[in-house]
Amino acid sequence: SQQGEEDPQALSIQEGENATMNCSYKTSINNLQWYRQNSGRGLVHLILIRSNEREKHSGRLRVTLDTSKKSSSLLITASRAADTASYFCATLPGEGAQKLVFGQGTRLTINP
Amino acid sequence: DAGITQSPRHKVTETGTPVTLRCHQTENHRYMYWYRQDPGHGLRLIHYSYGVKDTDKGEVSDGYSVSRSKTEDFLLTLESATSSQTSVYFCATGGGTQNIQYFGAGTRLSVL
């Protein structure tokens, strides 16, 4: 079963705007990760946030984690056409676990 | 995709035939994974390996087997392909305390 549920399933915005994607999960986690997938390619790791962290930044990416609500959000600021891709959250359920559980993804389209 | 090679990249086969997909890594990662990606389902884990000759099932393992005779190679076999196994298959490596995963470019398999 899918641990992560992402919202929205698809998002279309204008270049320069900010994009926000959300991920909810069901069980306790060790960490939560976000991946990007360009069309026809494999997934690429973007950012990881540990269960004891609330916010993390990497370049134009900002990730928040609310363990009380079992949810996370990924914010991409000042979007570019090259950000067009699918974005997946993945959870690592528990310390020592070696299997990530992926959500179904959000398809992001940046319009020029 | 760096360091992980999947072969073949595309394959068309007939129902009932055996199919083997290969994943080769140059990263010397202990853990290797096979996922399938289907519309509406995100990535689902088929099997994974935590060392040479050490493998375990994922959530959608029925109809699939795996083997790992060397650290760098992880094979996925469909003993008798069915149309429901038409999908895009991804290999990944990773593991460790955070389990950040690195993906190959994928194999698109069509079973007619």
Side-chain angles (χ1 to χ4, degrees):
Chain A
S1 62
Q2 293 294 319
Q3 160 99 302
E5 297 293 332
E6 294 177 69
D7 170 57
Q9 292 188 351
L11 179 62
S12 181
I13 61 173
Q14 296 300 121
E15 194 166 18
E17 294 180 338
N18 295 340
T20 299
M21 290 158 272
N22 303 296
C23 170
S24 60
Y25 57 92
K26 298 175 184 176
T27 65
S28 61
I29 61 171
N30 178 274
N31 69 52
L32 186 145
Q33 304 175 30
W34 286 90
Y35 289 77
R36 183 187 72 228
Q37 183 181 33
N38 292 95
S39 181
R41 305 293 296 274
L43 278 70
V44 175
H45 175 80
L46 292 176
I47 192 167
L48 177 152
I49 187 165
R50 296 184 178 86
S51 61
N52 61 353
E53 298 176 313
R54 293 296 168 259
E55 189 170 311
K56 198 122 178 235
H57 295 257
S58 177
R60 293 184 296 113
L61 305 180
R62 172 177 167 251
V63 172
T64 61
L65 179 64
D66 186 336
T67 53
S68 67
K69 295 181 179 179
K70 292 186 170 56
S71 67
S72 174
S73 67
L74 172 67
L75 169 67
I76 304 174
T77 60
S79 63
R80 306 167 181 170
D83 295 328
T84 293
S86 292
Y87 292 81
F88 295 86
C89 68
T91 52
L92 186 66
E95 190 168 346
Q98 291 301 335
K99 295 186 287 186
L100 289 177
V101 182
F102 286 85
Q104 296 183 17
T106 293
R107 175 69 189 169
L108 175 65
T109 302
I110 308 300
N111 302 303
Chain B
D1 301 357
I4 301 170
T5 304
Q6 291 187 233
S7 59
R9 292 294 315 280
H10 302 273
K11 185 169 183 67
V12 179
T13 191
E14 295 184 350
T15 299
T17 60
V19 177
T20 296
L21 308 183
R22 179 175 182 252
C23 178
H24 178 80
Q25 63 147 330
T26 59
E27 307 299 316
N28 201 35
H29 286 155
R30 178 183 173 193
Y31 282 77
M32 298 185 75
Y33 304 84
W34 277 108
Y35 295 92
R36 60 178 290 173
Q37 185 176 36
D38 305 287
H41 291 278
L43 265 74
R44 292 182 291 176
L45 181 64
I46 304 171
H47 281 281
Y48 70 103
S49 169
Y50 47 96
V52 173
K53 297 185 180 179
D54 292 323
T55 66
D56 204 351
K57 296 179 179 180
E59 67 173 301
V60 290
S61 59
D62 288 348
Y64 302 94
S65 62
V66 290
S67 65
R68 192 168 178 200
S69 59
K70 298 185 291 184
T71 298
E72 56 266 36
D73 291 327
F74 192 32
L75 305 181
L76 176 71
T77 296
L78 291 66
E79 300 291 347
S80 178
T82 67
S83 59
S84 65
Q85 293 175 313
T86 292
S87 186
V88 181
Y89 291 86
F90 287 97
C91 173
T93 68
T97 56
Q98 297 184 99
N99 201 356
I100 293 173
Q101 294 189 9
Y102 304 89
F103 285 78
T107 294
R108 185 172 295 275
L109 176 67
S110 296
V111 183
L112 306 179

